[in-house]
Amino acid sequence: MSKFVYLVPLFPLLGFLINGLLRKNLTKSLISIVGCGSVLASLIVSVLIFSETRQSGFQAVNVNLFNFIDADRLHIPFAFQVDQLSILFLLIITGVGFLIHLYSTSYMHDEKDEHFARYFSYLNLFVFSMILLVLGSNFVIMFIGWEGVGLCSYLLIGFWFKTKEFDDAATKAFVMNRIGDVGFLIALFWMISLFGSVNFSDVFGKAQAAPASALTGITLLLLVGATGKSAQIPLYTWLPDAMAGPTPVSALIHAATMVTAGIYMIARSNILYTLAPVSQSVVAIIGVTTAFFAATIAIKQNDIKKVLAYSTVSQLGYMFLGLGVGAYTGAVFHVMTHAFFKALLFLGAGSVIHALHEQDIRKMGGLKRLLPTTHLTFLLGCLAIAGIPPFAGFFSKDEILSAAYARNPIYFVVGLITALMTAFYMFRLYATAFQGNFRGTEDQRKHIQESPSQITIPLVILAILSCIGGFLGIPDVFVRDSHLLRNFLHPVFEHSETLSQTVEVGGSRELTLIGVSVLVALVGVVYSWSRFSKNPELGEPKGFGKVLANKWYVDELYDMIIVKPVNVLGKFFDSIFDRAIIDGIVNGVGRIVQYGSRQLRLLQSGQVGAYVLMMVLGIIILFAIQIILRK
Amino acid sequence: MPINYYIFLAVALFCIGVAGVLTRRNAIIIFMCIELMLNAVNLLLVAFSKMHYKALAANQPDAGINGQIFVFFIMVVAAAEVSVGLAIIVMMYRNTHSIDVNFLNRLKH
Amino acid sequence: MIPILLILIPLLSGLLSFFLRSQRAAKNWSLISSIISLVVSCFGLWITNESYLHYQTDWIFSLGSRFSVSLDGMSQILSLLTTISFPIIFIATYRNEYPNAKNFYALMLLSQAGLLGVFVSTDALLFYFFWELALIPVYFLSSQWGGERRIQATFKFFIYTFTGSLLMLVGIIYLYFHTRDKSFSIDAFYALRSQLPAASQNWLFWLFFLAFAIKMPIFPFHTWQPDTYEQSPTAVTMVLSGIMVKMGIFGIIRWLAPVLPIGSWAWGDTVSALCVIGMIYASLIAMQQDDLKRLVAYSSIAHMGLMCLAIFATTKIGMQGVMIQMFSHGINIIGLWIVIDLIEKQLHTRKISELGGLAQKAPGLAILLVIVGLANVALPLTNGFIGEFLMFSGIYTSAATVYNVVFTVAAAVCVILSAVYTLNMIQRVFYGNTNALTENARDIRANEKFALIILVAIIIIVGVYPQPIFDLTRHFVDSIISKMNYKI
């Protein structure tokens, strides 16, 4: 089955082409069938391949389609690699992707046929690119997917292109991703000059023989790419703005899949990072800082999607922390559980927005009774992200935190504080929106009704996954050797694990850590719930809260130190340097010639006598020269 | 007679011609001065050709003949030039009632 | 036989076009002729018999100059670009009416003949002859059918390029006197590289390089370009920016770097620094432009800078990238001009600030522009990516300079900047709400759509499967790099 892996990206590509080219001729139901069906087909193929990879003794399979670039000594095949890591990501992408496609058929139903088709074609193109990203057997194919998902994100953020803010957000997302991409590209060139190849097998095989400084450089550059795509400091500011897109897009691209591309990339090149401890520490520091920093901002946001966006940034920070401390399985585990509960939360938020046409949580309240299914699933999602056992987030977060403790307790402490804040802001959001009394208009209340089944079914499925997903990775402390995911992913990370001496946290200490983190999460949940369900924060924040609500003024800072100077420089070059100096010199040469000839013209007086005199003088001068030269 | 004498005479004639051309404004006088210069050159050519003949006659019977042929050419050209030039002067006189060459600078306008 | 046909078809049909009676006939005639050229050039790609690709006869016997033309990898790809571009230009601008159309089309065809001649000639004097032949029709085209400030702009263009060409002529003559058997043939010139001392290579380098740098153009010799692009009729701008600037790249690869390898090596860092400065400089300026044509003009300067940088990196990968990028850049930029021409023709403005919301009125145009724009920013699976990726790889792995990393990083900044200005342009012209001006815009029509769809198809095919182009140019790249690597 693995050799048919090309079918997985093929279906969404076909879906994209059909919906994209025939967008004016198809009806909505046909568009939905093509859009969802193509992803479902991919899902089925992925599941079949997955069942094959579960068999013991499965070796990674390379499927070579054609020669993409074959110039001089650079051979880049258009090839796919099927192994445990890529198939896991495939399942997440196609599985969550399918649910979100299904959800979108109802959510986007008010769009015109043509735009409905456009939406689904973009979404299919996104799934296609994402599949390329995780399936590629070399860094270039990965980069193709990498840029492809960036493009789709751009197109989908700016889906409602009539509004300028949305377009600005789209452009911002693309450009900030591009900054990261440049880092990725330079890392690619470095690999080419160092290894002469970009194939995973060659690069990872030769990595141990490579100088450590080069590996550190390459991994740091790759990290720049990852920070762009996965919204880490300093390139995270695009993600909250990206919420301008339709909510299912936020769920699929900006929460569940695309933003985890950076984690996939680092997990894929785990061997390089393991061999470059400096970069590993940088990854961990960036991760933990981002997790903390984004959580502080999320505390004071009032837009339901903005809260979720910052919580995504924060959770991605956790994953980076996991990668940085060598807990690759933990990071991938968190990618998976996060995909479940964050998609759930976003879709729940979408269901709320769909019902109310309102995103400000201060104008919600009391939705518990009005939207029962949404409420219940949303609550489960909140519990999962807060890290309450036995929901999915608890297991994955715990794995990362205990690995962090083993590496450096400071990571653990910051991570713990972040967990507290996470529980706090998620339940602030939950309590403000769902508890208490309805604060919207009377008109809204009349029209509120629970969303149709295309919306609630994905919610329920994701809620179930958020509840049980965690049992794939039960810590050894509880049940020995029952970490299914670790066993499954073992072949991918085997090499790194043998290279790095992981310090196992002892049984009793690990239990203490788990107890502390659960306790902290519970404190956050209970405090928030009791405080915000009765009297939610409705006013404008003051003092330090205002700094948080304005996101630490980072956007303004970037604007001041990067955007403005670049613009000023551009203006200077354009209007002064180019026109006045360079063109001035060019025109100056022309003017000198003109001036000179105007002066020379005066010699042509028309007086015959003057001409003759000049002639005679000329002859005399020639004679003089002749005589001087003779001597 | 030594060749030097001819050279001095020719140079003197030529310089008189040049000075005349430079200083006088009467077109006819300028013409005469030009003739003077041409004849100075003619004189030199004849003198040199005679000198060459003397030096090379032994093995080259027609030595120096080139110079004399040149003189004829110059005389012909001078005559042609005078005829054209005088015609111009006559036309100029008809138009301007003057043969002052400084009037000619109006041609540039 | 093929190269001579490639020159003769446009030359003769161009001359004929002067004498056609009706303007419409001239339009159709030039379209047909350009399609015939395309067929011939495709035939040249398909043919395997080498002897069809070369032709030689006496030309100026007393000077030792021969009329020798031939098609190798690079000339194949450039003549393919030329012969594809002309029909597309004619189709896309089919509805444009020009006063004195027959002269217009005649001059266009003559410039095509000149361009093809430049790309196929293997005799220095012949090369120079065609170099000027390509230039002169463009001068007349721009100065007669151009915008308001056309006289000033074309005068500047002409003086600029002519100065460069004359310097090159001096260089050619100098080299000619040093060839062993007083010949202008390219092989005789290549043989010179071992005979000329480094000192004379060093100053000869600049005679040639100035001519090519002005043509490309390389900072700081670029100021003719935005003015000329802005003032020329768009069809001519397409020829200028799509094909004619490639003459500069072509000249360096064929007539400069392999002939004067020591000079090129000695000045490589200087030239590369100029390229990098120019790339960043042009990108920054492009971000500030309000005029669509000037924006594209500056973006073109940045792209050409990268190609020049990749040449002086002297690596096979980079050179392969240059080959593919010469082709791609031509295709992409012609696509951009077609869109700009459409906007200007119906809305009578090129000011970005006056446009907006066109995607609602012209969705077809918007989609095609987005694809072309993405190719311009080198998104993977478009042709721009292949070229830029290989060129960057070449620059990074270059052994010819010690500053390879600096150059790569600085040039990579332009990758970001190009995204900024291209997306900004797309956003401000096509997205947002319509205004009073764009309210009545209409969508793209059949002929324009046809032209753009062909371009988009080329963009994607080359972007997904570039292998045929590599195969076409591999042999040429190997030979040219081995010539460039000659050191005393």
Side-chain angles (χ1 to χ4, degrees):
Chain A
M1 197 61 212
S2 300
K3 57 178 180 288
F4 295 112
V5 69
Y6 58 84
L7 289 174
V8 182
L10 185 67
F11 288 121
L13 181 64
L14 289 178
F16 158 69
L17 291 176
I18 294 171
N19 274 341
L21 295 176
L22 305 175
R23 64 189 183 288
K24 288 181 182 154
N25 314 330
L26 294 178
T27 60
K28 273 187 187 147
S29 48
L30 264 176
I31 294 165
S32 313
I33 291 169
V34 171
C36 300
S38 57
V39 182
L40 183 63
S42 294
L43 175 61
I44 293 169
V45 178
S46 308
V47 169
L48 291 175
I49 297 174
F50 171 69
S51 61
E52 188 179 312
T53 54
R54 289 202 54 201
Q55 291 155 9
S56 57
F58 173 80
Q59 291 290 317
V61 176
N62 260 306
V63 180
N64 204 334
L65 293 187
F66 57 89
N67 260 349
F68 182 51
I69 292 176
D70 191 3
D72 190 28
R73 61 200 173 86
L74 189 63
H75 306 289
I76 304 173
F78 205 103
F80 295 145
Q81 174 175 348
V82 182
D83 65 356
Q84 287 81 0
L85 187 62
S86 55
I87 194 69
L88 185 70
F89 269 84
L90 271 193
L91 286 179
I92 298 173
I93 295 158
T94 50
V96 176
F98 169 67
L99 292 176
I100 291 170
H101 274 72
L102 186 64
Y103 178 97
S104 301
T105 54
S106 164
Y107 190 88
M108 300 300 287
H109 208 265
D110 298 339
E111 295 291 326
K112 273 196 225 154
D113 281 3
E114 192 183 331
H115 295 301
F116 192 71
R118 186 162 63 92
Y119 174 83
F120 274 97
S121 65
Y122 289 169
L123 222 50
N124 277 347
L125 182 63
F126 168 77
V127 173
F128 165 73
S129 314
M130 194 71 207
I131 291 172
L132 275 192
L133 197 164
V134 298
L135 269 186
S137 79
N138 58 54
F139 279 100
V140 170
I141 305 298
M142 188 197 255
F143 186 75
I144 294 175
W146 187 269
E147 289 262 297
V149 291
L151 166 70
C152 297
S153 154
Y154 164 76
L155 292 171
L156 283 163
I157 296 169
F159 180 73
W160 289 303
F161 55 73
K162 283 184 203 170
T163 317
K164 186 176 177 300
E165 291 83 65
F166 295 179
D167 300 329
D168 288 344
T171 308
K172 181 176 174 184
F174 194 88
V175 170
M176 296 208 86
N177 269 306
R178 227 28 202 341
I179 297 173
D181 296 348
V182 166
F184 193 157
L185 270 180
I186 295 173
L188 281 182
F189 305 139
W190 201 334
M191 282 181 213
I192 290 172
S193 82
L194 191 64
F195 303 115
S197 168
V198 290
N199 292 339
F200 291 149
S201 50
D202 297 339
V203 173
F204 301 151
K206 291 178 190 163
Q208 262 180 301
S213 58
L215 282 182
T216 308
I218 289 175
T219 45
L220 285 178
L221 286 166
L222 285 177
L223 175 65
V224 173
T227 55
K229 191 79 25 182
S230 293
Q232 297 294 296
I233 287 174
L235 298 175
Y236 70 96
T237 56
W238 65 270
L239 184 62
D241 288 12
M243 295 303 130
T247 310
V249 169
S250 312
L252 179 62
I253 299 184
H254 305 119
T257 54
M258 181 185 98
V259 289
T260 61
I263 288 106
Y264 170 78
M265 187 239 271
I266 294 180
R268 175 57 81 196
S269 19
N270 60 77
I271 189 77
L272 301 182
Y273 281 85
T274 310
L275 290 170
V278 179
S279 315
Q280 238 188 345
S281 311
V282 176
V283 174
I285 290 167
I286 285 184
V288 78
T289 317
T290 312
F292 179 79
F293 191 75
T296 59
I297 299 175
I299 288 175
K300 284 289 173 189
Q301 297 302 312
N302 287 321
D303 185 319
I304 186 168
K305 287 181 74 181
K306 282 272 162 73
V307 178
L308 293 175
Y310 279 105
S311 91
T312 307
V313 176
S314 176
Q315 297 299 314
L316 291 166
Y318 269 119
M319 299 174 206
F320 269 69
L321 174 62
L323 296 169
V325 298
Y328 298 113
T329 317
V332 175
F333 189 20
H334 201 54
V335 167
M336 189 183 82
T337 56
H338 178 257
F340 297 151
F341 61 68
K342 191 50 68 66
L344 168 63
L345 288 170
F346 263 113
L347 294 184
S351 171
V352 171
I353 296 166
H354 193 61
L356 267 75
H357 298 288
E358 175 61 61
Q359 292 186 214
D360 192 335
I361 54 172
R362 289 171 297 187
K363 295 178 186 156
M364 295 178 183
L367 298 176
K368 188 164 81 172
R369 281 171 300 280
L370 299 167
L371 302 168
T373 320
T374 307
H375 161 252
L376 185 66
T377 51
F378 200 87
L379 176 61
L380 290 173
C382 287
L383 288 170
I385 194 176
I388 307 292
F391 300 102
F394 161 73
F395 293 97
S396 51
K397 195 187 278 184
D398 177 69
E399 191 174 339
I400 291 173
L401 281 180
S402 55
Y405 183 83
R407 186 62 67 98
N408 188 342
I410 296 173
Y411 294 154
F412 176 76
V413 173
V414 181
L416 201 63
I417 298 171
T418 310
L420 174 67
M421 286 193 286
T422 309
F424 175 78
Y425 66 71
M426 282 316 296
F427 278 86
R428 169 177 172 271
L429 169 66
Y430 166 77
T432 314
F434 288 92
Q435 299 288 338
N437 298 316
F438 186 64
R439 294 182 292 274
T441 58
E442 215 26 60
D443 192 40
Q444 273 176 323
R445 178 194 281 277
K446 254 183 251 163
H447 288 100
I448 286 187
Q449 52 182 11
E450 184 56 275
S451 308
S453 58
Q454 291 104 310
I455 288 187
T456 51
I457 289 173
L459 287 179
V460 172
I461 296 177
L462 284 169
I464 295 169
L465 287 172
S466 304
C467 293
I468 61 166
F471 294 103
L472 285 174
I474 302 168
D476 287 345
V477 183
F478 297 134
V479 189
R480 258 240 158 276
D481 213 23
S482 60
H483 200 308
L484 299 175
L485 198 69
R486 180 180 299 154
N487 299 340
F488 178 66
L489 289 175
H490 182 66
V492 182
F493 301 126
E494 193 180 9
H495 202 63
S496 290
E497 278 161 12
T498 50
L499 275 176
S500 61
Q501 322 86 330
T502 37
V503 191
E504 284 293 320
V505 187
S508 65
R509 181 166 298 170
E510 189 169 355
L511 277 181
T512 321
L513 294 181
I514 291 172
V516 171
S517 65
V518 170
L519 191 71
V520 160
L522 277 176
V523 168
V525 171
V526 173
Y527 175 72
S528 259
W529 195 321
S530 58
R531 178 171 161 196
F532 293 111
S533 52
K534 296 282 153 43
N535 39 1
E537 271 177 346
L538 296 177
E540 288 301 319
K542 285 183 281 293
F544 188 61
K546 198 175 166 196
V547 177
L548 292 184
N550 282 303
K551 309 143 196 167
W552 296 92
Y553 297 102
V554 171
D555 276 328
E556 286 77 2
L557 182 73
Y558 284 180
D559 198 46
M560 205 170 71
I561 62 170
I562 296 171
V563 181
K564 288 236 174 76
V566 166
N567 275 332
V568 168
L569 197 64
K571 282 215 179 73
F572 167 75
F573 280 159
D574 181 26
S575 50
I576 299 177
F577 198 76
D578 213 41
R579 278 169 217 242
I581 298 185
I582 296 185
D583 230 12
I585 292 171
V586 173
N587 291 339
V589 171
R591 244 176 250 128
I592 286 170
V593 171
Q594 282 199 332
Y595 175 80
S597 46
R598 207 175 302 131
Q599 298 308 312
L600 278 176
R601 202 180 123 221
L602 296 180
L603 285 178
Q604 308 289 319
S605 60
Q607 304 278 354
V608 180
Y611 294 154
V612 176
L613 182 61
M614 266 189 279
M615 201 168 84
V616 171
L617 286 177
I619 291 168
I620 291 170
I621 289 168
L622 285 178
F623 268 120
I625 291 172
Q626 183 77 1
I627 289 164
I628 290 165
L629 287 186
R630 274 287 164 81
K631 282 177 182 168
Chain B
M1 253 198 304
I3 190 80
N4 294 18
Y5 293 178
Y6 293 100
I7 295 176
F8 285 135
L9 178 61
V11 169
L13 278 176
F14 192 85
C15 289
I16 291 166
V18 168
V21 169
L22 285 178
T23 52
R24 303 306 291 261
R25 289 190 293 182
N26 187 318
I28 300 205
I29 301 222
I30 288 175
F31 250 114
M32 286 160 64
C33 291
I34 291 171
E35 288 300 317
L36 211 53
M37 279 148 70
L38 288 172
N39 283 324
V41 174
N42 285 352
L43 183 59
L44 261 189
L45 282 169
V46 173
F48 280 128
S49 79
K50 184 73 183 163
M51 192 181 83
H52 275 286
Y53 178 72
K54 269 191 177 166
L56 304 171
N59 45 8
Q60 208 179 328
D62 57 349
I65 199 157
N66 296 351
Q68 297 185 17
I69 291 173
F70 255 117
V71 172
F72 282 112
F73 269 109
I74 290 173
M75 281 159 73
V76 171
V77 168
E81 178 202 326
V82 166
S83 62
V84 174
L86 281 178
I88 293 175
I89 290 169
V90 169
M91 290 304 292
M92 197 175 115
Y93 185 76
R94 278 199 195 147
N95 281 327
T96 62
H97 294 285
S98 153
I99 46 170
D100 187 339
V101 287
N102 283 358
F103 271 103
L104 283 176
N105 71 359
R106 270 183 292 170
L107 284 178
K108 78 175 179 183
H109 294 299
Chain C
M1 210 56 225
I2 303 280
I4 201 89
L5 276 180
L6 280 177
I7 299 171
L8 277 183
I9 293 168
L11 187 68
L12 293 181
S13 52
L15 291 176
L16 186 74
S17 178
F18 278 118
F19 304 105
L20 283 177
R21 202 158 292 160
S22 94
Q23 315 292 348
R24 202 175 167 71
K27 195 182 265 187
N28 292 330
W29 172 242
S30 52
L31 180 58
I32 293 168
S33 143
S34 63
I35 291 174
I36 296 173
S37 298
L38 175 60
V39 172
V40 171
S41 119
C42 289
F43 186 67
L45 288 179
W46 175 73
I47 209 161
T48 46
N49 188 343
E50 280 280 313
S51 63
Y52 282 98
L53 301 180
H54 308 282
Y55 180 78
Q56 250 200 45
T57 181
D58 280 337
W59 190 39
I60 307 178
F61 184 72
S62 53
L63 286 177
S65 168
R66 294 175 66 77
F67 192 99
S68 69
V69 287
S70 85
L71 278 167
D72 59 6
M74 178 165 63
S75 25
Q76 293 255 21
I77 195 117
L78 282 169
S79 28
L80 186 66
L81 171 68
T82 313
T83 48
I84 288 180
S85 305
F86 270 85
I88 285 181
I89 292 169
F90 288 140
I91 292 171
T93 59
Y94 193 78
R95 284 170 210 262
N96 293 6
E97 293 299 334
Y98 303 99
N100 267 329
K102 58 184 184 183
N103 292 357
F104 181 88
Y105 286 104
L107 287 168
M108 287 288 275
L109 288 175
L110 288 185
S111 74
Q112 189 188 8
L115 285 164
L116 287 166
V118 167
F119 296 142
V120 297
S121 49
T122 51
D123 180 281
L125 201 61
L126 193 64
F127 169 72
Y128 181 78
F129 170 78
F130 281 122
W131 178 277
E132 297 295 354
L133 183 68
L135 170 69
I136 291 162
V138 169
Y139 169 73
F140 283 111
L141 284 166
S142 301
S143 61
Q144 290 206 22
W145 286 275
E148 275 167 34
R149 294 189 297 111
R150 59 179 187 274
I151 300 298
Q152 196 197 344
T154 46
F155 189 66
K156 195 163 155 187
F157 163 67
F158 191 81
I159 295 295
Y160 240 126
T161 48
F162 202 67
T163 312
S165 336
L166 283 181
L167 291 177
M168 179 172 74
L169 183 62
V170 173
I172 289 177
I173 291 171
Y174 183 90
L175 289 179
Y176 164 70
F177 281 119
H178 285 76
T179 51
R180 191 164 291 154
D181 50 353
K182 295 280 179 295
S183 145
F184 282 102
S185 85
I186 195 158
D187 295 322
F189 274 42
Y190 284 167
L192 274 177
R193 65 179 182 272
S194 52
Q195 295 163 25
L196 282 176
S200 29
Q201 291 214 8
N202 284 351
W203 64 264
L204 272 170
F205 174 84
W206 283 98
L207 290 184
F208 282 91
F209 182 72
L210 272 177
F212 301 139
I214 288 171
K215 206 76 176 187
M216 278 193 273
I218 293 294
F219 173 88
F221 311 108
H222 64 276
T223 51
W224 64 268
Q225 198 202 33
D227 287 345
T228 311
Y229 283 10
E230 188 185 353
Q231 294 303 322
S232 300
T234 312
V236 178
T237 313
M238 291 178 202
V239 176
L240 268 172
S241 63
I243 314 166
M244 205 162 268
V245 295
K246 307 298 180 304
M247 282 164 55
I249 299 280
F250 173 88
I252 291 182
I253 298 177
R254 173 147 296 167
W255 293 99
L256 175 53
V259 175
L260 304 169
I262 300 165
S264 310
W265 179 76
W267 290 107
D269 279 351
T270 314
V271 170
S272 304
L274 278 182
C275 294
V276 168
I277 293 172
M279 284 173 71
I280 296 177
Y281 176 82
S283 304
L284 285 174
I285 294 183
M287 286 165 62
Q288 302 301 325
Q289 295 303 320
D290 193 35
D291 187 305
L292 283 168
K293 274 190 160 181
R294 288 187 81 89
L295 190 153
V296 176
Y298 278 107
S299 117
S300 170
I301 294 175
H303 283 108
M304 300 309 286
L306 182 60
M307 287 185 229
C308 185
L309 188 60
I311 295 174
F312 284 93
T314 328
T315 54
K316 285 181 190 170
I317 302 179
M319 192 60 85
Q320 194 69 265
V322 175
M323 294 294 132
I324 208 159
Q325 185 69 359
M326 279 200 283
F327 185 74
S328 307
H329 176 261
I331 297 292
N332 298 347
I333 202 162
I334 288 175
L336 287 175
W337 291 127
I338 292 176
V339 175
I340 292 169
D341 187 43
L342 290 182
I343 294 174
E344 191 186 358
K345 278 274 141 28
Q346 56 168 308
L347 302 174
H348 305 290
T349 180
R350 294 192 306 258
K351 294 257 176 286
I352 295 175
S353 51
E354 292 172 10
L355 298 164
L358 273 179
Q360 292 163 51
K361 297 289 157 192
L365 185 62
I367 292 168
L368 293 168
L369 172 74
V370 168
I371 298 175
V372 176
L374 292 174
N376 197 40
V377 303
L379 202 84
L381 298 188
T382 62
N383 55 4
F385 173 71
I386 309 285
E388 287 204 2
F389 181 79
L390 289 176
M391 289 194 288
F392 272 115
S393 311
I395 296 162
Y396 193 93
T397 53
S398 166
T401 166
V402 290
Y403 305 111
N404 52 350
V405 177
V406 180
F407 290 148
T408 315
V409 173
V413 171
C414 297
V415 174
I416 304 170
L417 296 179
S418 79
V420 174
Y421 59 72
T422 310
L423 293 186
N424 252 330
M425 173 188 82
I426 293 175
Q427 179 187 336
R428 286 165 63 194
V429 174
F430 280 88
Y431 296 162
N433 256 321
T434 50
N435 55 26
L437 182 70
T438 54
E439 192 55 50
N440 301 317
R442 53 162 173 71
D443 203 359
I444 186 169
R445 289 180 299 196
N447 61 323
E448 297 140 1
K449 199 175 201 167
F450 179 70
L452 274 174
I453 284 177
I454 290 181
L455 291 179
V456 164
I458 295 174
I459 285 173
I460 291 175
I461 291 171
V462 174
V464 174
Y465 192 62
Q467 210 53 50
I469 296 184
F470 294 147
D471 295 338
L472 183 65
T473 51
R474 176 170 296 126
H475 180 67
F476 172 77
V477 166
D478 290 352
S479 79
I480 216 77
I481 291 291
S482 66
K483 288 193 183 87
M484 280 176 77
N485 275 331
Y486 178 84
K487 306 240 169 63
I488 287 181

